[in-house]
Amino acid sequence: MSDSTASLKTADGSNVGPVIMAAVLSAVLTAGTLFVASPYLAPQQSSVPFVVIDSGKLVTASMNDLRGKGLDESAARDAAIRFADQLKTATQRYVDAGYVVVHRTAVLGYAPQLEITQLVADELGLNLE
């Protein structure tokens, strides 16, 4: 178990970190807002504007925010679902503006100005540390 999930305990001492992580990742991955560019897309064909996001950093920041709040399993699941909905809304703004939102692990390199992780973290009130 990672350090980020180890200290998410309920009042009775049970660990809800894995529950939060599973719920958040499941919701994020099924939300349909993080699109991955094809690795076979030639540079001359790339006329679609895109931005890059690191949802892993956002999930970690969200879990750090929940740490020590004494949430039971149900409250932790609800918090994870709220986070996923907020992340979907934040990234959907870029999609609605005509951008493809690409997870940073799907690209080998990109210009720093294409990174929106900090902007989304600010919108969600998260500290990326």
Side-chain angles (χ1 to χ4, degrees):
M1 184 180 329
S2 71
D3 289 338
S4 63
T5 60
S7 63
L8 293 169
K9 305 272 187 194
T10 64
D12 68 358
S14 60
N15 191 334
V16 296
V19 173
I20 293 172
M21 181 63 85
V24 168
L25 291 177
S26 173
V28 167
L29 294 174
T30 59
T33 60
L34 302 178
F35 300 98
V36 178
S38 168
Y40 306 108
L41 186 63
Q44 66 271 18
Q45 296 172 331
S46 180
S47 62
V48 177
F50 70 93
V51 291
V52 179
I53 192 167
D54 187 340
S55 63
K57 281 185 179 179
L58 296 169
V59 168
T60 298
S62 177
M63 289 181 62
N64 287 340
D65 187 51
L66 294 174
R67 185 174 286 137
K69 291 189 176 180
L71 301 176
D72 63 18
E73 188 174 327
S74 176
R77 191 176 313 113
D78 291 345
I81 291 168
R82 273 192 310 279
F83 166 77
D85 289 344
Q86 291 169 339
L87 180 59
K88 179 180 179 180
T89 298
T91 57
Q92 188 62 43
R93 287 188 184 90
Y94 292 91
V95 174
D96 291 345
Y99 291 90
V100 174
V101 179
V102 181
H103 194 275
R104 77 174 295 283
T105 59
V107 293
L108 295 175
Y110 55 91
Q113 64 268 25
L114 297 175
E115 174 77 44
I116 63 167
T117 305
Q118 185 62 56
L119 296 171
V120 172
D122 292 344
E123 184 176 337
L124 299 178
L126 298 173
N127 181 10
L128 293 181
E129 295 179 10

